Amino acid sequence: MTGISVMTGYPLISLEEYRKCFLGYNILGCAVRSRDVLCFVAQEDYTQWPEEVDDGDEMELKKRFIPYIRTKPKGQQWSAAALTGFDGILVGYSPVPPKPQVIVSGVRGGVYATGSGESSLESIPLADENGPKRGAVLKLKTIGEHLYVCGNGRSVGRRMGRDRWIGFSHMIPEAARGVREGFDDIDGFAEDDVYAVGGEGDVWRFDGTRWRPCRFPSDLLLGCVCCAGDGHVYVGASMGTVFRGRGDDWTVIHEGNLSIPFKDMVWHEGEVWCTNDHGLWTIRDGALQEAAVGSDVKICSGNLSSRDGVLLLAGHGGAAFRQDGAWSVIFHTLLMPDDD
């Protein structure tokens, strides 16, 4: 079987570990906790089942949290924790307080927190309970020393500790009925310089004291944002269109023609990296171009996370990471076994 031979070329996961952790599942998100700990969340791939199923109830699909600890001995680096009661699944990293943990969230706000020798279940509270949540939870993002959350209805907040979330949603008015509003993504240069985007050109900035809307030059649907190391904010819109700017000053740097927008944009090694389920791109000096990677990396496109000198790429096709200018492929599904 080709899956056996590929384990020689990609020794980062054994055939047994792949079957235990990933076989029959799709990766829906990834997060770098540190250069030594890479994390994934995955959901049952019902499209491969022989019988037809209703795809409307994601609660019934099994979910997994899958950490990869690179410093452990071979045979002990991979594990998988089953998660129940999660509709959709996101993953992010919460540095403090009280201790560093990886946070897994469902769309409805159920949370699994794990790390530093402790695991617990919690929930993201509603805005009318002084929490952030007005609707679906859409993104988790580390900004400064905290994990931030954003979602439908211009909801935004941050995690302050175990089962402690504060909301900023009360500082941001909901849009008029019928208006497509944010937030689909959030990022920041610091905790007093945060941008949240979504909806039809709905961009807001937090200066540490108040939130205010930015004058944005488009009503395109916005899906992702990156506060980059070059001092610019990059916003991904419909069809891969990209805006660059800050505050109320924005310019289109790329007119998109993709079938689907970018899902994630992150800063790594002096470039903005962008991905969707179809590929990987970079932005350098204001120009978007396809990333110069091999097909074994490109097939892993879908989700991005960057932290501690590591860029993690993971999607339905597999997983790979970039460190010190070089890519390492963990696995990709075209060369892995598809049954037991």
Side-chain angles (χ1 to χ4, degrees):
M1 183 179 292
T2 56
I4 301 293
S5 63
V6 80
M7 303 320 302
T8 301
Y10 302 130
L12 301 183
I13 186 169
S14 70
L15 179 57
E16 180 182 357
E17 289 166 330
Y18 170 77
R19 283 175 165 154
K20 174 183 175 182
C21 296
F22 292 107
L23 185 62
Y25 283 72
N26 285 327
I27 295 176
L28 297 189
C30 62
V32 178
R33 172 173 170 163
S34 70
R35 66 180 55 213
D36 296 324
V37 184
L38 312 180
C39 301
F40 309 88
V41 287
Q43 176 178 277
E44 277 187 297
D45 182 9
Y46 64 87
T47 64
Q48 302 301 312
W49 295 352
E51 69 277 8
E52 291 187 11
V53 297
D54 181 5
D55 63 356
D57 191 359
E58 290 196 0
M59 280 283 200
E60 300 303 318
L61 297 176
K62 295 177 183 178
K63 317 289 193 305
R64 285 177 178 172
F65 168 66
I66 305 167
Y68 168 42
I69 304 176
R70 298 167 61 190
T71 52
K72 284 192 173 184
K74 292 288 186 181
Q76 301 177 30
Q77 296 175 322
W78 290 92
S79 61
L83 301 175
T84 59
F86 282 75
D87 50 341
I89 196 162
L90 310 165
V91 63
Y93 173 64
S94 178
V96 294
K99 56 184 67 174
Q101 288 192 302
V102 177
I103 304 299
V104 179
S105 172
V107 173
R108 299 183 197 179
V111 167
Y112 171 68
T114 184
S116 300
E118 180 178 302
S119 296
S120 62
L121 294 175
E122 53 190 76
S123 61
I124 301 172
L126 296 169
D128 58 10
E129 300 170 352
N130 297 318
K133 190 161 68 73
R134 281 175 171 158
V137 175
L138 299 179
K139 188 61 69 87
L140 303 174
K141 188 72 70 72
T142 305
I143 303 172
E145 292 300 314
H146 292 89
L147 180 75
Y148 283 69
V149 59
C150 69
N152 287 347
R154 291 177 178 158
S155 60
V156 61
R158 72 182 176 209
R159 186 175 187 264
M160 300 301 294
R162 179 173 178 173
D163 209 15
R164 291 180 54 227
W165 299 77
I166 63 169
F168 299 118
S169 303
H170 66 283
M171 304 169 67
I172 308 170
E174 294 186 79
R177 183 179 297 275
V179 175
R180 300 281 293 273
E181 61 182 12
F183 298 124
D184 287 69
D185 198 6
I186 188 169
D187 200 12
F189 296 103
E191 296 194 52
D192 59 358
D193 195 0
V194 176
Y195 287 80
V197 309
E200 296 174 328
D202 199 19
V203 178
W204 289 68
R205 178 178 178 265
F206 182 58
D207 63 7
T209 302
R210 68 186 183 97
W211 288 86
R212 70 168 186 86
C214 299
R215 291 193 298 271
F216 199 74
S218 172
D219 61 359
L220 287 175
L221 291 174
L222 308 181
C224 54
V225 60
C226 173
C227 293
D230 61 6
H232 295 294
V233 181
Y234 295 83
V235 176
S238 300
M239 300 181 295
T241 295
V242 179
F243 295 84
R244 184 178 69 178
R246 199 156 176 166
D248 295 319
D249 184 14
W250 301 90
T251 303
V252 177
I253 64 169
H254 181 77
E255 295 278 1
N257 59 359
L258 303 176
S259 59
I260 56 175
F262 297 131
K263 187 184 297 184
D264 282 325
M265 303 174 73
V266 302
W267 178 261
H268 181 75
E269 293 180 350
E271 297 177 292
V272 177
W273 296 76
C274 316
T275 192
N276 59 26
D277 289 340
H278 295 169
L280 183 66
W281 293 259
T282 61
I283 303 172
R284 181 184 285 270
D285 299 326
L288 178 81
Q289 60 186 359
E290 285 196 58
V293 298
S295 59
D296 55 348
V297 172
K298 183 177 179 180
I299 196 176
C300 302
S301 298
N303 304 273
L304 282 169
S305 177
S306 179
R307 182 177 177 81
D308 198 21
V310 173
L311 176 69
L312 181 60
L313 176 69
H316 290 189
F321 66 89
R322 180 179 175 91
Q323 183 176 348
D324 298 327
W327 283 97
S328 297
V329 175
I330 298 172
F331 75 92
H332 60 79
T333 54
L334 288 184
L335 294 177
M336 299 299 289
D338 57 6
D339 56 43
D340 291 324

